[in-house]
Amino acid sequence: MKLCFLVEENYRHDGMPVEVIRRLHAWGHQVDVLRPGGSLHRMTEVVSAGSHDAWVLKTVSGGPGLTLLEAAASAGMTTVNDARSIRGVRDKALAAAIGRSRGLPMPTTYAAAKPELLAEIPESDYPLVVKPADGSSGRAVHLLAAPDRLAALLPELRGEGLLIAQPYVPNAGVDIKVYCVGDDFYATERRSPLHPDRPHRERRVPLSREVAALAAQVGAVYGLDLYGLDVLLGPDGPVVVDVNDFPSFRQVPDAASRVANAVLALAAGGRPTAAVTTPVPVAAGDTL
Ligand SMILES: Nc1ncnc2c1ncn2[C@@H]1O[C@H](COP(=O)(O)OP(=O)(O)O)[C@@H](O)[C@H]1O
Ligand SMILES: [Mg+2]
C-alpha cells in the first residue's frame, strides 16, 4: 500500500506515529510523511487524485494538518480518520452539540468567543470548568469555584480563541481514558489536570461494560475509526468530557502494530469520505 502520513513537528519523535510508520515500512508498505507545520505548501498541487491509498492525520488541533487532509478527501482519497469527523471533535463546542443531540452523556456546554461573555453563565452552573474549544493535553483548563473568580482569569483567557465552559462533573480525580483501535477498546486511568494531588502515572484498568458501550457509541456518533475518549465517573454515571481523533494509545499493548493494522484495513476498505459522496442535484426553482 501507499500511504501519506501528516505528522506535526510535536510528534516527530513521539513513539506513536513514528513506530506505526516504521512498522508499515517493515511490512513492505510505502509511507510518505508530510510535516504540515514545518513546510511551505503549494496548496494548488498538494494532492493529486489516486496518489495514495490513504492519508492519515496525526497532528495537533489548529495546525494546517486538517486542511491538507480535507484537500486529500476532496480529491476522493480515503482519509484516516474521516476528515469531517475530525472537525466534529477537534472543536469541543461542536463536539458537545453533536454529542448531546445524539444522546451522549456530556455536560451542558456553553461557548463564548470573548471571555467576558462567560459572566452570563448562571451561578447554579458553578463550579465551572473553562477550556479552549481547540485545546489539547490539558492546556488552559481552569476550574472556577464561583462567578467572582472569573474577573481574575480574563487576561489569561483572552487570546485562547473560542472558549467553552461546563459545570464541573464531580469525580475522584482521575479520568478513564478509553482507546479504540479496530474493534478493540482499552481503558486506562489517568490523573485529571484539575486534581494535581493525584498520582501521575497512567495505568491500564479493566473496562466496564457500561463504559465500553459508551465508547462504541462515541465512535458511531462522530464517525471515527481511530479515537479515544475521556470519561469521568460522575454521581449519575459515566460522562464523556473529551473525544480525540488519533490519541496516544498509551498503555495499549503493542499499540504500533495494532494501529498500523487498523490503518491498513481502513485504507483497503476504501471507505468513501464525506466529501466524495454524490451530492443530491437541486432542480431549478427548488428552494434550499
Ligand atoms: N466538565 C468537567 N468536569 C470535571 N472535569 C473536567 C471537565 N472537563 C474537563 N475536565 C478535566 O479536565 C481534563 C482536560 O479537559 P479535556 O476536555 O479533556 O481537554 P484536553 O483536550 O486538554 O484533554 C479532563 O481530562 C478532565 O480531567
Ligand atoms: Mg482530554
Side-chain angles (χ1 to χ4, degrees), residues 82-107:
D82 177 78
R84 203 194 298 176
S85 300
I86 297 174
R87 275 261 182 245
V89 295
R90 287 199 172 188
D91 177 344
K92 292 180 199 288
L94 179 57
I98 296 171
R100 278 285 284 263
S101 74
R102 299 283 306 274
L104 287 176
M106 292 177 106

Side-chain angles (χ1 to χ4, degrees), residues 3 19 25 32 36 59 62 70 84 97 128 133 145 167 192-193 197 251 285:
L3 303 158
E19 264 310 304
H25 272 305
D32 297 325
T59 59
E70 286 174 321
R84 203 194 298 176
L128 196 69
S192 164
D197 46 307
Q251 303 296 331

Side-chain angles (χ1 to χ4, degrees), residues 92 131 135-138 141 175 177 190 193 229-230 241-244:
K92 292 180 199 288
K131 49 193 174 182
S136 61
S137 310
V141 180
D175 292 355
K177 295 181 87 73
R190 192 174 177 199
L229 50 149
D230 296 342
V241 289
D242 194 24
V243 181
N244 302 113

Side-chain angles (χ1 to χ4, degrees), residues 208-231:
S208 73
R209 212 172 272 206
E210 191 181 15
V211 175
L214 188 54
Q217 198 188 346
V218 163
V221 163
Y222 296 101
L224 291 166
D225 297 303
L226 278 180
Y227 63 101
L229 50 149
D230 296 342
V231 175

Side-chain angles (χ1 to χ4, degrees), residues 5 14 21 34 44 48 61 130 133 138 140 157 179 192 200 218 230 233 240 249 253 268 279 281:
F5 269 63
D14 192 276
I21 293 165
L34 279 183
T44 41
S48 52
S61 290
V130 176
L157 294 176
Y179 297 115
S192 164
H200 186 64
V218 163
D230 296 342
L233 300 179
V240 178
F249 295 103

Side-chain angles (χ1 to χ4, degrees), residues 1-63:
M1 290 235 171
K2 198 172 168 203
L3 303 158
C4 180
F5 269 63
L6 299 165
V7 181
E8 211 70 82
E9 287 299 301
N10 324 27
Y11 298 115
R12 197 177 187 138
H13 304 294
D14 192 276
M16 179 34 64
V18 172
E19 264 310 304
V20 172
I21 293 165
R22 271 204 201 114
R23 212 56 59 99
L24 289 164
H25 272 305
W27 293 344
H29 300 283
Q30 184 183 327
V31 185
D32 297 325
V33 178
L34 279 183
R35 310 261 172 217
S39 324
L40 174 71
H41 305 289
R42 197 174 155 107
M43 288 307 296
T44 41
E45 277 87 34
V46 77
V47 287
S48 52
S51 67
H52 296 86
D53 295 295
W55 282 47
V56 183
L57 182 71
K58 172 63 183 167
T59 59
V60 289
S61 290

